[in-house]
Amino acid sequence: MPPTAKRLASLSESVISEMNTLAKQYGAINLSSGYPDFDPPAELVAAAVSALQKGYHQYTPPWGSPRLRQALAEKQSRFMGLEIDPEIHVTITCGGTEAMLAALGAVCDPGDRVIIFSPFYETYTADSLLLGLAPLFVPLRPPQFSIDPHELRHAFQSGAKALILCNPSNPTGKVFSQDELSLIAELAQEFDVVVITDEVYEHIIFPPHKHLYLASLPGMFERTISCGSLSKTYAITGWRLGYVIAPPALSQTARKVHDYLTLAAPAPLQEAAVTALRFPDSYYRQIQEEYFQRRQLFLGFLDQAGLSYTPPQGAYFVLVDISPFGFEDDFHFCYWLVRERGIAAVPGSSFFHEPVTHLARFNFAKRLETLQQVGERLARLKSPA
Ligand code: GLN
């Protein structure tokens, strides 16, 4: 057998993908992977059809179509309270996933240390392996997931080059407070660290919480790479449209990674996405309300089933305590759940660096009818099959 790269030997198949496969195999309701089961706004679908008919078939400039960058810069300037220049600061990528890799690749050399809060979204550790980086995990302990300032300072002291901040957080649903963000900002400035944010859930926030953009804090635009995506906000995870917003030097370097990695995101979908970015502010209020309704319904079913969980402050995931079921670990629970109860969830341990095996992650970005069906299945969860 020809040899394969040693550095990837420890990288296993994505647990989320494995659970998707099992969901299909058992015909289960899939609450594992974080995508919605409803369509994007009809206007957006029409814009995609029209873009295909109007001849947007060839490469756009690598940084993204000028029209899309302009529309994105306008929208993000409005929400972030910053002046984003589409020519200098914005790069359109193939999803938030590529944005994160381009950002990390722009900041870190092989061997560099990168601070990752645990639990984390699995891409960050995979990216670290791909780029030969050394992750430094800072635990956010369940059920509160708050930062221990001493642990965080200690991580900065050990010579980190970058910190990854997923806010609102996948998988915890945590929305970082102003104080927590200020602490991260102060440490990043003291230790000359770049913060790479993953803010793909920026518009899915539950009252009274508010999303604050780290790049908007004093002194932080210069040292923040803000990664985002259109996937969640417009229910188009399969379109693979993400972006990097960064100050000039970081932006230029992230563009190099992006250019040689994927060259450009799909042209017709970039053109169609201009329509999405020009939606009025009422669109964002509406999706917040809809997500709040889904959240309330799903959490109500968990309550009725007598399950405990950490109430999500944002994003569309909830970590549920599965210890009352008495399974050996979260994998055994999730395999049983998908096979015997027809619900696919993700074993929580796949998000943790520490040995935490009593949680499972459920995605509630689903139609209310789907959630009703889940509710019926959850009600029978503890009874024999
Ligand atoms: N970001 C999504 C999640 O956390 C999708 C990931 C995936 O499908 N691998 O579920």
Side-chain angles (χ1 to χ4, degrees):
M1 269 239 289
T4 55
K6 288 188 198 67
R7 75 181 192 293
L8 299 183
S10 64
L11 189 60
S12 47
E13 188 201 348
S14 148
V15 176
I16 300 176
S17 303
E18 183 196 344
M19 293 314 300
N20 280 340
T21 309
L22 291 179
K24 271 215 183 76
Q25 186 181 327
Y26 292 110
I29 302 176
N30 191 359
L31 304 188
S32 58
S33 182
Y35 63 84
D37 72 345
F38 43 86
D39 285 337
E43 209 184 327
L44 189 48
V45 177
V49 172
S50 153
L52 282 166
Q53 288 166 338
K54 284 186 183 152
Y56 290 90
H57 302 300
Q58 313 308 330
Y59 302 130
T60 65
W63 326 141
S65 92
R67 272 164 54 74
L68 180 58
R69 273 184 287 133
Q70 178 67 40
L72 180 69
E74 280 169 21
K75 184 220 153 211
Q76 291 309 109
S77 298
R78 198 161 83 238
F79 282 100
M80 297 173 82
L82 291 166
E83 262 182 53
I84 312 288
D85 182 335
E87 295 305 319
I88 299 169
H89 301 139
V90 178
T91 306
I92 305 296
T93 58
C94 294
T97 304
E98 193 211 341
M100 292 300 293
L101 189 70
L104 273 169
V107 178
C108 298
D109 287 309
D112 280 346
R113 293 177 175 180
V114 52
I115 301 174
I116 300 177
F117 289 112
S118 169
F120 52 84
Y121 174 43
E122 59 184 12
T123 287
Y124 312 150
T125 43
D127 286 350
S128 302
L129 267 176
L130 286 170
L131 296 169
L133 313 180
L136 272 172
F137 295 100
V138 173
L140 301 175
R141 295 201 170 82
Q144 294 312 326
F145 299 109
S146 34
I147 297 179
D148 177 334
H150 299 291
E151 262 172 312
L152 187 59
R153 169 168 280 277
H154 188 253
F156 274 89
Q157 279 167 338
S158 24
K161 197 80 178 285
L163 174 144
I164 297 178
L165 175 71
C166 183
N167 183 32
S169 149
N170 175 6
T172 63
K174 175 185 173 71
V175 172
F176 286 74
S177 68
Q178 171 121 42
D179 286 349
E180 289 171 323
L181 294 178
S182 299
L183 173 69
I184 294 169
E186 278 162 27
L187 289 168
Q189 292 178 56
E190 182 181 339
F191 291 95
D192 198 17
V193 163
V194 173
V195 181
I196 298 170
T197 68
D198 176 349
E199 298 178 275
V200 303
Y201 302 100
E202 66 193 309
H203 293 295
I204 305 173
I205 298 281
F206 307 116
H209 300 279
K210 291 220 167 2
H211 179 65
L212 301 171
Y213 295 86
L214 190 82
S216 311
L217 266 58
M220 285 311 287
F221 183 73
E222 294 74 10
R223 57 178 62 257
T224 302
I225 305 187
S226 306
C227 296
S229 163
L230 277 64
S231 293
K232 277 58 183 193
T233 306
Y234 307 106
I236 49 172
T237 62
W239 287 27
R240 311 311 300 130
L241 293 177
Y243 54 87
V244 165
I245 294 178
L250 289 171
S251 181
Q252 230 173 45
T253 317
R255 284 178 170 188
K256 289 189 207 175
V257 184
H258 161 71
D259 194 0
Y260 294 113
L261 196 58
T262 60
L263 179 47
L269 301 179
Q270 288 194 53
E271 175 54 26
V274 174
T275 298
L277 291 161
R278 294 199 175 139
F279 285 160
D281 285 356
S282 56
Y283 173 78
Y284 303 96
R285 283 195 295 275
Q286 185 191 329
I287 64 162
Q288 293 231 14
E289 279 163 26
E290 289 169 355
Y291 271 108
F292 185 66
Q293 221 184 338
R294 293 179 190 114
R295 173 193 188 268
Q296 296 308 91
L297 186 64
F298 187 62
L299 298 187
F301 290 137
L302 293 176
D303 291 336
Q304 282 164 23
L307 297 169
S308 16
Y309 53 85
T310 306
Q313 303 168 339
Y316 49 52
F317 302 109
V318 54
L319 285 173
V320 176
D321 185 348
I322 49 131
S323 39
F325 292 91
F327 281 88
E328 196 180 323
D329 61 25
D330 51 348
F331 275 84
H332 284 86
F333 171 81
C334 286
Y335 292 149
W336 168 81
L337 188 70
V338 68
R339 202 178 53 230
E340 306 292 336
R341 292 294 186 270
I343 302 173
V346 186
S349 58
S350 61
F351 302 98
F352 281 87
H353 176 63
E354 311 79 59
V356 174
T357 59
H358 69 287
L359 301 172
R361 191 196 75 171
F362 293 78
N363 153 30
F364 56 84
K366 301 290 160 188
R367 287 174 288 139
L368 298 180
E369 303 88 87
T370 310
L371 294 175
Q372 285 291 352
Q373 282 177 23
V374 174
E376 286 158 25
R377 293 181 189 194
L378 285 176
R380 295 194 302 270
L381 205 53
K382 287 177 182 165
S383 55

